Amino acid sequence: MTAGTTGAEEVPEAHGEWRGWREAAQEALYGPAGFYRAGPEGPAGHFRTSVHASPLFAAAVARLLCRVDEALGRPAPLAFVDMAAGRGELVTGVLAALPAEVSARTRAYAVEVAGRPEGLDHRIEWLAEPPRGVTGLLFANEWLDNVPVEVAEVDAAGVARRVLVRGDGTERLGGPVAGAEAAWLARWWPLPGEEGLRAEIGLPRDTAWASAVASLDAGLAVAADYAHTVDSRPPFGTLTGFRAGRETRPVPDGSCDITAHVALDACASAHAARCAPDRTPSDALVRPQREALRALGLTGVRPPLALASTDPAAYVRALTRASQAAELLAPGGLGDFGWLLQPVGGVDAAALLVDVADDEEQ
């Protein structure tokens, strides 16, 4: 077993029953006293996403929505669906960045388990589930990493077993992984028979993503998240916690975020497999956030120093913009996030990403 795992007899009953990580995290994050329902500040009080890093992110998403709009022939209404909307920061920023003509046709939806924040723009519909049958762009920024999953760990005999957890975060191994979960591991995250190796079983995320994409009649669904692919799975998994801006041990008691990186390649395949016979899946793309944002106009290019002499205020504004863009594009940081672009109804995802001048390592 890995460090921190133990036998049931060593843990007091006060810490609650043994449960799989999926059930425990579901209650800790989304239950009545869950992490995502607490506090007016929402997730922004505990961690910083691309949305919080700079308004440039929302502006880039607005630019993508405009490209989807053009590809769809400028429909009315045009939907923008913000999955896991937090306190509405992204959808608010997108509406503010849209050209007036596009904004006038846009219906904005925020999908979130927490209640509607006070003072939110009246144009934004606040929903617990994504609207069905809409046409436009569904954007899920750091949603799938918070869809709870089971964790598997290889025991001394080389068998992959479910990891069980109690309310204080103490773990032990349960029964062998079987059925659809075992099939998912074999296809998407094969575990060699080496004791202590771990994996997160992404099946619930595949299902959640396929359902979200199916809510679109036509358009594009994008998942932007911490990610890995089958050729680069981390040997000990990625399950972790965040509290007050710091990474911490994941404890399913509602006091911290519980997250794990996403197998975006599996999510893309899951949507294709679940398409109805009369709906042919379009080609999905997985791209680094750095590449996607550059294609949407962000470069991180610093302004010429001469501007500081001729127009100091403009220089400061441009320098601030460049600094914010550089953070969103940074290798080893937000720039390494994965974007899964899943087109629906004949939209060409590749055509929506128009290259701009490459500004390597900004």
Side-chain angles (χ1 to χ4, degrees), residues 12-100:
E13 284 297 325
H15 293 307
E17 64 179 328
W18 293 105
R19 297 184 291 177
W21 264 108
R22 182 184 180 191
E23 181 185 350
Q26 181 70 31
E27 181 177 332
L29 294 178
Y30 306 113
F35 176 82
Y36 277 97
R37 296 185 185 274
E41 77 283 353
H46 295 270
F47 51 85
R48 193 163 180 257
T49 72
S50 297
V51 178
H52 308 120
S54 170
L56 296 177
F57 187 80
V61 175
R63 195 170 297 118
L64 179 59
L65 177 59
C66 289
R67 293 183 184 181
V68 171
D69 181 47
E70 289 289 336
L72 294 171
R74 301 182 180 180
L78 172 70
F80 177 69
V81 183
D82 181 7
M83 289 293 298
R87 297 303 182 263
E89 298 95 336
L90 177 60
V91 64
T92 298
V94 168
L95 284 177
L98 288 174

Side-chain angles (χ1 to χ4, degrees), residues 41 56 60 69 91 103 142 158 193 214 217-218 256 284 288 290:
E41 77 283 353
L56 296 177
D69 181 47
V91 64
S103 178
E142 296 195 41
D217 274 354
C256 67
R290 178 169 56 255

Side-chain angles (χ1 to χ4, degrees), residues 1-16 18 166 168 170-173:
M1 296 184 187
T2 58
T5 56
T6 184
E9 69 281 1
E10 300 175 33
V11 182
E13 284 297 325
H15 293 307
W18 293 105
R166 276 184 159 166
D168 66 343
T170 306
E171 295 179 335
R172 75 172 188 185
L173 299 187

Side-chain angles (χ1 to χ4, degrees), residues 11-206:
V11 182
E13 284 297 325
H15 293 307
E17 64 179 328
W18 293 105
R19 297 184 291 177
W21 264 108
R22 182 184 180 191
E23 181 185 350
Q26 181 70 31
E27 181 177 332
L29 294 178
Y30 306 113
F35 176 82
Y36 277 97
R37 296 185 185 274
E41 77 283 353
H46 295 270
F47 51 85
R48 193 163 180 257
T49 72
S50 297
V51 178
H52 308 120
S54 170
L56 296 177
F57 187 80
V61 175
R63 195 170 297 118
L64 179 59
L65 177 59
C66 289
R67 293 183 184 181
V68 171
D69 181 47
E70 289 289 336
L72 294 171
R74 301 182 180 180
L78 172 70
F80 177 69
V81 183
D82 181 7
M83 289 293 298
R87 297 303 182 263
E89 298 95 336
L90 177 60
V91 64
T92 298
V94 168
L95 284 177
L98 288 174
E101 188 278 328
V102 179
S103 178
R105 289 184 287 107
T106 299
R107 291 192 65 177
Y109 304 90
V111 182
E112 179 58 61
V113 297
R116 182 186 182 95
E118 292 184 10
L120 190 70
D121 191 318
H122 70 277
R123 294 174 295 171
I124 300 170
E125 295 187 44
W126 196 264
L127 305 172
E129 299 287 341
R132 315 300 293 185
V134 298
T135 296
L137 173 63
L138 180 148
F139 202 94
N141 186 60
E142 296 195 41
W143 168 50
L144 289 173
D145 68 293
N146 289 126
V147 173
V149 293
E150 298 291 2
V151 177
E153 181 176 324
V154 178
D155 68 9
V159 176
R161 295 180 175 272
R162 287 175 66 228
V163 176
L164 305 181
V165 64
R166 276 184 159 166
D168 66 343
T170 306
E171 295 179 335
R172 75 172 188 185
L173 299 187
V177 178
E181 292 180 341
W184 190 94
L185 279 181
R187 170 65 181 87
W188 293 109
W189 198 329
L191 283 173
E194 180 182 337
E195 184 178 7
L197 295 183
R198 286 169 69 116
E200 292 99 32
I201 305 173
L203 198 57
R205 294 169 174 179
D206 296 354

